[in-house]
Amino acid sequence: MREKYSLETWAPSLEAAVMENPVLEPLYLHGGNDPLPEMRNKFLEGQPVQIDRIAEETTEYIGDIPVKIHIFPGHSYRQAAIEVNGILFAADSYFGSEYLYKHKIPYITDVSYQLETLNRLLEIEVSGAVPGHGKFEHTYVSTVKENIDYHKDIMDWIEAFIRTNKEVSHETLVSAMCNAYGVTVTHLSAWMLYRTAVTAYVNGLIREGRICHYLKDFRWTFCICHY
């Protein structure tokens, strides 16, 4: 395809490294260990992509068409969205309502960055947006606000669960949350994605000082902070 149409591939730094070396995704999901064979599937590890140019947050021109590049971390580390002719191609910076509830625990890498991205989306003046999962919307702001509320509700659930149980290990939290949200997991690769997503909410709660963390009996453990 690249050769046939003389295409260039642009990607943000770090994202470019993963696209050129796709084994990095199952590698980091597997905690830095060499990923087991069931982790090296086409869902987690696509074909390598040659990156011609590192994309930064700026306005570039494709021919004479101005294209504004936005870097929106949260779903991934340096995800890019593009704005062209008043339309935002938002990638996975937010989900359409149907897909938000379909995934139950949305895959993100850090809820703090995800919420920052969502709040930035509220300030962008465009005539419509296309999420990575969902349909084009002229009135996308209400969907972005729904995303914000959904993520905050998950954070509240985790905080309440830890408050009720006094102290909770990471493994216990992952299991309890997947059960509470009715997640179906039959493969290791899917479980690794949910584990990362749950940890993304934990990161945000720790950053906000709503929970504290420590090691106990060689387990990463959480409790409500008492200052």
Side-chain angles (χ1 to χ4, degrees):
M1 183 69 74
R2 283 170 48 87
E3 291 74 19
K4 182 176 179 180
Y5 294 102
S6 299
L7 298 178
E8 283 191 359
T9 307
W10 298 7
S13 59
L14 191 54
E15 302 289 341
V18 177
M19 293 173 70
E20 291 189 320
N21 304 276
V23 70
L24 289 174
E25 184 166 355
L27 182 66
Y28 68 67
L29 287 171
H30 206 49
N33 297 112
D34 288 337
L36 294 170
E38 56 259 52
M39 293 290 293
R40 302 197 65 179
N41 55 57
K42 63 181 181 180
F43 181 64
L44 296 181
E45 184 182 352
Q47 294 297 313
V49 176
Q50 177 184 328
I51 303 302
D52 301 299
R53 184 170 176 178
I54 298 299
E56 302 297 343
E57 191 162 81
T58 186
T59 298
E60 298 281 358
Y61 281 83
I62 300 177
D64 58 357
I65 301 173
V67 176
K68 190 170 185 180
I69 301 171
H70 300 274
I71 303 298
F72 285 145
H75 177 76
S76 64
Y77 305 106
R78 283 182 55 79
Q79 174 179 240
I82 59 172
E83 182 182 336
V84 185
N85 293 331
I87 302 297
L88 179 68
F89 296 87
D92 286 333
S93 58
Y94 79 99
F95 281 13
S97 297
E98 176 187 353
Y99 292 91
L100 187 66
Y101 292 92
K102 175 184 176 181
H103 292 294
K104 300 177 181 178
I105 306 174
Y107 180 83
I108 54 175
T109 57
D110 193 299
V111 76
S112 299
Y113 298 134
Q114 181 63 52
L115 289 172
E116 286 178 14
T117 284
L118 290 166
N119 281 297
R120 283 183 60 196
L121 286 169
L122 296 177
E123 299 172 358
I124 294 177
E125 296 182 2
V126 291
S127 58
V130 184
H133 297 267
K135 299 178 180 179
F136 170 77
E137 298 177 294
H138 283 293
T139 55
Y140 75 98
V141 167
S142 60
T143 306
V144 172
K145 289 180 178 179
E146 188 175 4
N147 275 247
I148 292 172
D149 291 341
Y150 195 92
H151 292 303
K152 287 184 175 180
D153 285 346
I154 290 179
M155 294 174 76
D156 290 343
W157 186 93
I158 292 174
E159 183 179 16
F161 181 81
I162 293 172
R163 188 180 300 277
T164 298
N165 290 277
K166 308 304 181 185
E167 62 178 16
V168 177
S169 72
H170 183 247
E171 285 190 346
T172 297
L173 179 61
V174 172
S175 175
M177 192 167 172
C178 286
N179 276 304
Y181 279 79
V183 167
T184 300
V185 176
T186 57
H187 300 288
L188 178 64
S189 57
W191 181 81
M192 292 288 189
L193 290 170
Y194 280 112
R195 182 183 68 169
T196 301
V198 172
T199 309
Y201 292 102
V202 168
N203 284 353
L205 290 165
I206 292 171
R207 291 182 195 279
E208 291 184 12
R210 292 169 61 180
I211 64 172
C212 289
H213 64 112
Y214 48 88
L215 291 178
K216 182 177 181 179
D217 296 329
F218 305 103
R219 296 182 178 91
W220 191 23
T221 304
F222 317 111
C223 70
I224 299 299
C225 298
H226 298 287
Y227 296 107

